[in-house]
Amino acid sequence: METKIESVTKQEFMLAVWEELDCESVGARELTEIQAAVGRKYSGSAVDSPAAIARLLADEGAILRHPEVLEYDAKWREARLTREATYSLNFEGFSVAVQSLIECERVRRELEQHQDKQSLAKLRDAMALGRQELLLSAISKDTPESARSEFKEIAGWLEVWLRTPELFVDWLDLRRASPEFRRRFGE
């Protein structure tokens, strides 16, 4: 739903979108449309929870389909926590790094599908920071030599992810199967 509403506050905007929907009762579909409109107008991070929007609408006389609202809110919060949790990345070894990167790629695709540019930028920043930390660990005299080469290799993986994330999973499979990788790391 593309809205042409001009309003002063985000709350007024949400109420105006609800009025445009022309519905008495509110459930998951209506809350999704209001969240999408807010995300387009303000930003992905400005979107309130379904429960908060439902409370605002109820104060204005909307009839809530409570079980549906509660279920939708729980799913929305779980998805949000999952996305945020993936920003704490683990690159302490090949197997955990692979799992972290595969999960980050899943989240990246989901964020692209929802056109959440702000969260995509945060994910990209987290990956770039992870790469920098790996490179610093790779040159640190306190890091054992075997770990240095692993950290440098994983930093290279992150470089590929940052440049071409849509090709990353296939590239990583090829890289790990390459004779050079197997010779160097014995995987």
Side-chain angles (χ1 to χ4, degrees):
M1 173 181 177
E2 201 59 42
T3 185
K4 308 259 189 273
I5 299 167
E6 294 298 321
S7 59
V8 180
T9 67
K10 185 171 66 167
Q11 286 74 20
E12 290 173 343
F13 179 76
M14 289 188 287
L15 290 170
V17 172
W18 171 55
E19 288 173 11
E20 263 192 12
L21 290 171
D22 195 29
C23 57
E24 279 188 39
S25 72
V26 173
R29 185 187 67 77
E30 295 81 11
L31 293 170
T32 301
E33 290 200 33
I34 293 168
Q35 285 182 309
V38 169
R40 286 189 299 272
K41 182 170 176 76
Y42 297 96
S43 84
S45 65
V47 175
D48 291 353
S49 72
I53 297 169
R55 190 174 10 205
L56 173 72
L57 300 178
D59 289 346
E60 294 297 318
I63 299 167
L64 301 180
R65 299 189 302 267
H66 288 285
E68 191 177 330
V69 170
L70 291 172
E71 182 180 343
Y72 178 60
D73 186 72
K75 286 180 181 177
W76 181 85
R77 289 175 190 277
E78 183 180 338
R80 189 167 174 219
L81 286 173
T82 301
R83 281 195 303 269
E84 290 171 3
T86 61
Y87 300 128
S88 56
L89 306 168
N90 185 346
F91 301 126
E92 291 298 317
F94 288 133
S95 61
V96 293
V98 168
Q99 293 307 310
S100 286
L101 289 165
I102 288 172
E103 180 61 17
C104 285
E105 182 53 20
R106 183 194 65 74
V107 169
R108 182 195 67 79
R109 285 190 303 260
E110 181 182 313
L111 294 173
E112 279 194 349
Q113 181 181 4
H114 289 94
Q115 299 178 350
D116 188 345
K117 292 180 180 167
Q118 189 167 12
S119 294
L120 276 167
K122 285 180 184 178
L123 178 60
R124 183 174 170 70
D125 290 347
M127 296 293 267
L129 180 62
R131 181 178 175 276
Q132 288 175 337
E133 289 172 359
L134 284 165
L135 289 172
L136 288 173
S137 294
I139 62 171
S140 171
K141 291 180 177 29
D142 296 332
T143 304
E145 187 59 41
S146 61
R148 285 186 198 184
S149 58
E150 272 191 36
F151 290 155
K152 190 173 181 182
E153 174 70 20
I154 296 168
W157 296 359
L158 293 176
E159 176 77 16
V160 173
W161 187 92
L162 288 164
R163 289 178 187 223
T164 55
E166 56 282 341
L167 301 177
F168 177 75
V169 173
D170 291 335
W171 176 87
L172 183 60
D173 287 342
L174 291 171
R175 172 65 183 150
R176 292 178 68 209
S178 73
E180 181 215 354
F181 182 85
R182 290 180 179 275
R183 185 176 60 253
R184 285 182 65 200
F185 301 107
E187 263 198 24

